[in-house]
mmCIF file of all heavy atoms in Angstrom:
data_model
loop_
_atom_site.group_PDB
_atom_site.id
_atom_site.type_symbol
_atom_site.label_atom_id
_atom_site.label_comp_id
_atom_site.label_asym_id
_atom_site.label_seq_id
_atom_site.Cartn_x
_atom_site.Cartn_y
_atom_site.Cartn_z
ATOM 1 N N MET Z 375 64.391 148.977 188.250
ATOM 2 C CA MET Z 375 63.931 147.942 187.303
ATOM 3 C C MET Z 375 62.459 147.628 187.544
ATOM 4 O O MET Z 375 61.665 147.504 186.603
ATOM 5 C CB MET Z 375 64.748 146.654 187.463
ATOM 6 C CG MET Z 375 66.137 146.703 186.860
ATOM 7 S SD MET Z 375 66.160 146.449 185.078
ATOM 8 C CE MET Z 375 65.813 144.712 184.959
ATOM 9 N N VAL Z 376 62.090 147.492 188.806
ATOM 10 C CA VAL Z 376 60.700 147.189 189.156
ATOM 11 C C VAL Z 376 59.789 148.361 188.772
ATOM 12 O O VAL Z 376 58.706 148.173 188.229
ATOM 13 C CB VAL Z 376 60.575 146.883 190.669
ATOM 14 C CG1 VAL Z 376 59.122 146.848 191.094
ATOM 15 C CG2 VAL Z 376 61.265 145.570 190.989
ATOM 16 N N LEU Z 377 60.262 149.576 189.017
ATOM 17 C CA LEU Z 377 59.450 150.759 188.724
ATOM 18 C C LEU Z 377 59.161 150.890 187.222
ATOM 19 O O LEU Z 377 58.056 151.273 186.829
ATOM 20 C CB LEU Z 377 60.189 152.009 189.227
ATOM 21 C CG LEU Z 377 59.412 153.325 189.151
ATOM 22 C CD1 LEU Z 377 58.195 153.294 190.065
ATOM 23 C CD2 LEU Z 377 60.329 154.490 189.510
ATOM 24 N N PHE Z 378 60.166 150.563 186.405
ATOM 25 C CA PHE Z 378 60.015 150.736 184.955
ATOM 26 C C PHE Z 378 59.597 149.452 184.241
ATOM 27 O O PHE Z 378 59.517 149.434 183.005
ATOM 28 C CB PHE Z 378 61.336 151.221 184.342
ATOM 29 C CG PHE Z 378 61.822 152.532 184.892
ATOM 30 C CD1 PHE Z 378 63.177 152.764 185.116
ATOM 31 C CD2 PHE Z 378 60.921 153.546 185.193
ATOM 32 C CE1 PHE Z 378 63.616 153.966 185.625
ATOM 33 C CE2 PHE Z 378 61.362 154.768 185.701
ATOM 34 C CZ PHE Z 378 62.710 154.972 185.921
ATOM 35 N N ASN Z 379 59.372 148.335 184.971
ATOM 36 C CA ASN Z 379 59.203 147.039 184.297
ATOM 37 C C ASN Z 379 57.932 146.971 183.448
ATOM 38 O O ASN Z 379 57.791 146.076 182.626
ATOM 39 C CB ASN Z 379 59.241 145.890 185.313
ATOM 40 C CG ASN Z 379 57.879 145.554 185.868
ATOM 41 O OD1 ASN Z 379 57.117 144.800 185.286
ATOM 42 N ND2 ASN Z 379 57.568 146.137 187.018
ATOM 43 N N TYR Z 380 57.020 147.944 183.609
ATOM 44 C CA TYR Z 380 55.773 147.899 182.844
ATOM 45 C C TYR Z 380 55.997 148.186 181.356
ATOM 46 O O TYR Z 380 55.084 148.050 180.562
ATOM 47 C CB TYR Z 380 54.763 148.897 183.420
ATOM 48 C CG TYR Z 380 54.393 148.576 184.842
ATOM 49 C CD1 TYR Z 380 55.044 149.197 185.907
ATOM 50 C CD2 TYR Z 380 53.421 147.616 185.118
ATOM 51 C CE1 TYR Z 380 54.730 148.880 187.208
ATOM 52 C CE2 TYR Z 380 53.102 147.303 186.436
ATOM 53 C CZ TYR Z 380 53.755 147.927 187.478
ATOM 54 O OH TYR Z 380 53.445 147.614 188.772
ATOM 55 N N ILE Z 381 57.227 148.584 181.018
ATOM 56 C CA ILE Z 381 57.514 148.791 179.591
ATOM 57 C C ILE Z 381 57.483 147.462 178.837
ATOM 58 O O ILE Z 381 57.263 147.406 177.644
ATOM 59 C CB ILE Z 381 58.887 149.508 179.414
ATOM 60 C CG1 ILE Z 381 58.976 150.129 178.019
ATOM 61 C CG2 ILE Z 381 60.042 148.554 179.660
ATOM 62 C CD1 ILE Z 381 60.178 151.025 177.824
ATOM 63 N N ILE Z 382 57.694 146.363 179.595
ATOM 64 C CA ILE Z 382 57.547 145.020 179.026
ATOM 65 C C ILE Z 382 56.136 144.547 179.355
ATOM 66 O O ILE Z 382 55.838 144.231 180.505
ATOM 67 C CB ILE Z 382 58.567 144.025 179.638
ATOM 68 C CG1 ILE Z 382 59.968 144.609 179.606
ATOM 69 C CG2 ILE Z 382 58.486 142.679 178.944
ATOM 70 C CD1 ILE Z 382 60.648 144.593 178.279
ATOM 71 N N PRO Z 383 55.240 144.466 178.384
ATOM 72 C CA PRO Z 383 53.833 144.187 178.700
ATOM 73 C C PRO Z 383 53.530 142.695 178.837
ATOM 74 O O PRO Z 383 53.518 141.967 177.859
ATOM 75 C CB PRO Z 383 53.091 144.766 177.496
ATOM 76 C CG PRO Z 383 54.081 144.710 176.372
ATOM 77 C CD PRO Z 383 55.447 144.715 176.950
ATOM 78 N N VAL Z 384 53.307 142.225 180.067
ATOM 79 C CA VAL Z 384 52.938 140.821 180.262
ATOM 80 C C VAL Z 384 51.570 140.545 179.626
ATOM 81 O O VAL Z 384 51.316 139.470 179.100
ATOM 82 C CB VAL Z 384 52.937 140.448 181.768
ATOM 83 C CG1 VAL Z 384 51.873 141.208 182.522
ATOM 84 C CG2 VAL Z 384 52.718 138.939 181.958
ATOM 85 N N SER Z 385 50.707 141.561 179.657
ATOM 86 C CA SER Z 385 49.361 141.345 179.126
ATOM 87 C C SER Z 385 49.365 141.184 177.607
ATOM 88 O O SER Z 385 48.401 140.684 177.036
ATOM 89 C CB SER Z 385 48.452 142.511 179.518
ATOM 90 O OG SER Z 385 48.979 143.717 179.023
ATOM 91 N N MET Z 386 50.455 141.615 176.940
ATOM 92 C CA MET Z 386 50.509 141.457 175.485
ATOM 93 C C MET Z 386 50.468 139.982 175.107
ATOM 94 O O MET Z 386 49.799 139.596 174.147
ATOM 95 C CB MET Z 386 51.784 142.097 174.924
ATOM 96 C CG MET Z 386 51.897 141.954 173.407
ATOM 97 S SD MET Z 386 53.335 142.782 172.724
ATOM 98 C CE MET Z 386 54.637 141.690 173.243
ATOM 99 N N TYR Z 387 51.174 139.152 175.880
ATOM 100 C CA TYR Z 387 51.207 137.724 175.574
ATOM 101 C C TYR Z 387 49.831 137.095 175.762
ATOM 102 O O TYR Z 387 49.412 136.245 174.978
ATOM 103 C CB TYR Z 387 52.263 137.029 176.439
ATOM 104 C CG TYR Z 387 53.662 137.364 175.995
ATOM 105 C CD1 TYR Z 387 54.332 138.457 176.520
ATOM 106 C CD2 TYR Z 387 54.298 136.613 175.013
ATOM 107 C CE1 TYR Z 387 55.604 138.785 176.095
ATOM 108 C CE2 TYR Z 387 55.570 136.932 174.579
ATOM 109 C CZ TYR Z 387 56.223 138.019 175.124
ATOM 110 O OH TYR Z 387 57.482 138.345 174.686
ATOM 111 N N VAL Z 388 49.126 137.529 176.812
ATOM 112 C CA VAL Z 388 47.770 137.019 177.038
ATOM 113 C C VAL Z 388 46.857 137.466 175.901
ATOM 114 O O VAL Z 388 46.073 136.681 175.349
ATOM 115 C CB VAL Z 388 47.214 137.520 178.390
ATOM 116 C CG1 VAL Z 388 45.856 136.914 178.669
ATOM 117 C CG2 VAL Z 388 48.176 137.194 179.521
ATOM 118 N N THR Z 389 46.962 138.751 175.509
ATOM 119 C CA THR Z 389 46.115 139.286 174.435
ATOM 120 C C THR Z 389 46.397 138.584 173.112
ATOM 121 O O THR Z 389 45.470 138.255 172.366
ATOM 122 C CB THR Z 389 46.347 140.809 174.282
ATOM 123 O OG1 THR Z 389 46.247 141.419 175.567
ATOM 124 C CG2 THR Z 389 45.326 141.424 173.348
ATOM 125 N N VAL Z 390 47.675 138.349 172.816
ATOM 126 C CA VAL Z 390 48.040 137.660 171.567
ATOM 127 C C VAL Z 390 47.472 136.243 171.553
ATOM 128 O O VAL Z 390 46.919 135.786 170.546
ATOM 129 C CB VAL Z 390 49.579 137.646 171.385
ATOM 130 C CG1 VAL Z 390 49.995 136.658 170.308
ATOM 131 C CG2 VAL Z 390 50.080 139.040 171.042
ATOM 132 N N GLU Z 391 47.588 135.543 172.701
ATOM 133 C CA GLU Z 391 47.033 134.184 172.777
ATOM 134 C C GLU Z 391 45.520 134.203 172.555
ATOM 135 O O GLU Z 391 44.977 133.369 171.822
ATOM 136 C CB GLU Z 391 47.340 133.561 174.152
ATOM 137 C CG GLU Z 391 48.791 133.204 174.384
ATOM 138 C CD GLU Z 391 49.281 132.089 173.477
ATOM 139 O OE1 GLU Z 391 48.486 131.176 173.174
ATOM 140 O OE2 GLU Z 391 50.441 132.157 173.038
ATOM 141 N N MET Z 392 44.831 135.151 173.186
ATOM 142 C CA MET Z 392 43.377 135.248 173.026
ATOM 143 C C MET Z 392 43.017 135.603 171.586
ATOM 144 O O MET Z 392 42.074 135.057 171.005
ATOM 145 C CB MET Z 392 42.801 136.303 173.979
ATOM 146 C CG MET Z 392 42.809 135.865 175.438
ATOM 147 S SD MET Z 392 42.268 137.177 176.544
ATOM 148 C CE MET Z 392 40.536 137.284 176.127
ATOM 149 N N GLN Z 393 43.791 136.527 170.985
ATOM 150 C CA GLN Z 393 43.518 136.929 169.604
ATOM 151 C C GLN Z 393 43.666 135.750 168.653
ATOM 152 O O GLN Z 393 42.844 135.554 167.753
ATOM 153 C CB GLN Z 393 44.479 138.062 169.211
ATOM 154 C CG GLN Z 393 44.154 138.715 167.880
ATOM 155 C CD GLN Z 393 44.916 138.120 166.709
ATOM 156 O OE1 GLN Z 393 45.825 137.319 166.886
ATOM 157 N NE2 GLN Z 393 44.522 138.480 165.508
ATOM 158 N N LYS Z 394 44.697 134.956 168.865
ATOM 159 C CA LYS Z 394 44.917 133.794 167.981
ATOM 160 C C LYS Z 394 43.825 132.751 168.173
ATOM 161 O O LYS Z 394 43.299 132.194 167.202
ATOM 162 C CB LYS Z 394 46.297 133.189 168.246
ATOM 163 C CG LYS Z 394 47.431 134.068 167.764
ATOM 164 C CD LYS Z 394 48.773 133.407 168.013
ATOM 165 C CE LYS Z 394 49.901 134.246 167.416
ATOM 166 N NZ LYS Z 394 51.207 133.620 167.564
ATOM 167 N N PHE Z 395 43.499 132.486 169.420
ATOM 168 C CA PHE Z 395 42.496 131.463 169.718
ATOM 169 C C PHE Z 395 41.121 131.863 169.196
ATOM 170 O O PHE Z 395 40.452 131.110 168.491
ATOM 171 C CB PHE Z 395 42.452 131.209 171.227
ATOM 172 C CG PHE Z 395 41.361 130.269 171.653
ATOM 173 C CD1 PHE Z 395 41.435 128.918 171.345
ATOM 174 C CD2 PHE Z 395 40.252 130.726 172.349
ATOM 175 C CE1 PHE Z 395 40.427 128.042 171.722
ATOM 176 C CE2 PHE Z 395 39.240 129.862 172.733
ATOM 177 C CZ PHE Z 395 39.331 128.515 172.413
ATOM 178 N N LEU Z 396 40.690 133.097 169.524
ATOM 179 C CA LEU Z 396 39.367 133.551 169.087
ATOM 180 C C LEU Z 396 39.339 133.791 167.575
ATOM 181 O O LEU Z 396 38.356 133.488 166.900
ATOM 182 C CB LEU Z 396 38.978 134.838 169.828
ATOM 183 C CG LEU Z 396 38.803 134.710 171.345
ATOM 184 C CD1 LEU Z 396 38.614 136.078 171.981
ATOM 185 C CD2 LEU Z 396 37.617 133.807 171.690
ATOM 186 N N GLY Z 397 40.450 134.312 167.042
ATOM 187 C CA GLY Z 397 40.511 134.590 165.605
ATOM 188 C C GLY Z 397 40.399 133.349 164.746
ATOM 189 O O GLY Z 397 39.885 133.395 163.630
ATOM 190 N N SER Z 398 40.865 132.209 165.275
ATOM 191 C CA SER Z 398 40.812 130.968 164.495
ATOM 192 C C SER Z 398 39.378 130.548 164.196
ATOM 193 O O SER Z 398 39.120 129.835 163.223
ATOM 194 C CB SER Z 398 41.547 129.844 165.236
ATOM 195 O OG SER Z 398 40.904 129.553 166.460
ATOM 196 N N TYR Z 399 38.431 130.990 165.030
ATOM 197 C CA TYR Z 399 37.036 130.614 164.790
ATOM 198 C C TYR Z 399 36.485 131.246 163.513
ATOM 199 O O TYR Z 399 35.546 130.729 162.916
ATOM 200 C CB TYR Z 399 36.164 131.009 165.995
ATOM 201 C CG TYR Z 399 36.295 130.046 167.138
ATOM 202 C CD1 TYR Z 399 37.174 130.287 168.187
ATOM 203 C CD2 TYR Z 399 35.556 128.857 167.161
ATOM 204 C CE1 TYR Z 399 37.317 129.388 169.229
ATOM 205 C CE2 TYR Z 399 35.690 127.958 168.209
ATOM 206 C CZ TYR Z 399 36.574 128.229 169.241
ATOM 207 O OH TYR Z 399 36.711 127.321 170.267
ATOM 208 N N PHE Z 400 37.061 132.389 163.077
ATOM 209 C CA PHE Z 400 36.582 133.009 161.845
ATOM 210 C C PHE Z 400 36.848 132.115 160.630
ATOM 211 O O PHE Z 400 36.098 132.140 159.659
ATOM 212 C CB PHE Z 400 37.218 134.387 161.658
ATOM 213 C CG PHE Z 400 36.709 135.408 162.630
ATOM 214 C CD1 PHE Z 400 37.511 135.890 163.651
ATOM 215 C CD2 PHE Z 400 35.411 135.885 162.545
ATOM 216 C CE1 PHE Z 400 37.042 136.823 164.564
ATOM 217 C CE2 PHE Z 400 34.929 136.829 163.454
ATOM 218 C CZ PHE Z 400 35.740 137.286 164.460
ATOM 219 N N ILE Z 401 37.937 131.338 160.691
ATOM 220 C CA ILE Z 401 38.204 130.382 159.612
ATOM 221 C C ILE Z 401 37.173 129.254 159.662
ATOM 222 O O ILE Z 401 36.602 128.860 158.643
ATOM 223 C CB ILE Z 401 39.644 129.810 159.727
ATOM 224 C CG1 ILE Z 401 40.671 130.893 159.424
ATOM 225 C CG2 ILE Z 401 39.833 128.615 158.798
ATOM 226 C CD1 ILE Z 401 42.114 130.447 159.546
ATOM 227 N N MET Z 402 36.925 128.754 160.861
ATOM 228 C CA MET Z 402 35.999 127.620 160.998
ATOM 229 C C MET Z 402 34.559 128.008 160.699
ATOM 230 O O MET Z 402 33.761 127.187 160.255
ATOM 231 C CB MET Z 402 36.114 127.026 162.409
ATOM 232 C CG MET Z 402 37.469 126.405 162.676
ATOM 233 S SD MET Z 402 37.548 125.472 164.219
ATOM 234 C CE MET Z 402 37.931 126.757 165.389
ATOM 235 N N TRP Z 403 34.225 129.280 160.928
ATOM 236 C CA TRP Z 403 32.848 129.725 160.680
ATOM 237 C C TRP Z 403 32.617 130.189 159.249
ATOM 238 O O TRP Z 403 31.496 130.528 158.887
ATOM 239 C CB TRP Z 403 32.503 130.891 161.620
ATOM 240 C CG TRP Z 403 32.392 130.519 163.062
ATOM 241 C CD1 TRP Z 403 32.096 129.291 163.564
ATOM 242 C CD2 TRP Z 403 32.567 131.386 164.194
ATOM 243 N NE1 TRP Z 403 32.082 129.322 164.945
ATOM 244 C CE2 TRP Z 403 32.366 130.607 165.354
ATOM 245 C CE3 TRP Z 403 32.875 132.731 164.340
ATOM 246 C CZ2 TRP Z 403 32.464 131.136 166.639
ATOM 247 C CZ3 TRP Z 403 32.974 133.261 165.611
ATOM 248 C CH2 TRP Z 403 32.765 132.469 166.753
ATOM 249 N N ASP Z 404 33.660 130.246 158.444
ATOM 250 C CA ASP Z 404 33.547 130.808 157.094
ATOM 251 C C ASP Z 404 32.709 129.885 156.200
ATOM 252 O O ASP Z 404 33.114 128.769 155.870
ATOM 253 C CB ASP Z 404 34.945 130.980 156.488
ATOM 254 C CG ASP Z 404 34.916 131.825 155.228
ATOM 255 O OD1 ASP Z 404 33.874 131.852 154.559
ATOM 256 O OD2 ASP Z 404 35.941 132.451 154.914
ATOM 257 N N ASP Z 405 31.533 130.365 155.802
ATOM 258 C CA ASP Z 405 30.634 129.547 154.978
ATOM 259 C C ASP Z 405 31.184 129.315 153.579
ATOM 260 O O ASP Z 405 30.822 128.344 152.922
ATOM 261 C CB ASP Z 405 29.247 130.214 154.875
ATOM 262 C CG ASP Z 405 28.481 130.107 156.193
ATOM 263 O OD1 ASP Z 405 28.778 129.172 156.958
ATOM 264 O OD2 ASP Z 405 27.601 130.945 156.448
ATOM 265 N N GLU Z 406 32.052 130.208 153.092
ATOM 266 C CA GLU Z 406 32.629 130.017 151.758
ATOM 267 C C GLU Z 406 33.621 128.863 151.746
ATOM 268 O O GLU Z 406 33.995 128.380 150.683
ATOM 269 C CB GLU Z 406 33.313 131.306 151.292
ATOM 270 C CG GLU Z 406 32.326 132.391 150.902
ATOM 271 C CD GLU Z 406 33.032 133.613 150.351
ATOM 272 O OE1 GLU Z 406 34.167 133.470 149.839
ATOM 273 O OE2 GLU Z 406 32.458 134.711 150.436
ATOM 274 N N MET Z 407 34.084 128.439 152.925
ATOM 275 C CA MET Z 407 34.997 127.295 153.000
ATOM 276 C C MET Z 407 34.280 126.054 153.546
ATOM 277 O O MET Z 407 34.908 125.170 154.118
ATOM 278 C CB MET Z 407 36.223 127.637 153.845
ATOM 279 C CG MET Z 407 37.113 128.661 153.170
ATOM 280 S SD MET Z 407 38.782 128.694 153.805
ATOM 281 C CE MET Z 407 38.518 129.423 155.386
#
Side-chain angles (χ1 to χ4, degrees):
M375 284 280 287
V376 168
L377 187 64
F378 300 142
N379 90 85
Y380 298 95
I381 199 171
I382 311 284
V384 65
S385 59
M386 180 177 74
Y387 287 90
V388 184
T389 310
V390 166
E391 289 294 325
M392 288 175 69
Q393 189 266 351
K394 289 182 175 183
F395 174 70
L396 296 172
S398 64
Y399 282 96
F400 289 109
I401 291 178
M402 295 189 274
W403 291 335
D404 192 333
D405 288 335
E406 287 184 25
M407 291 200 288

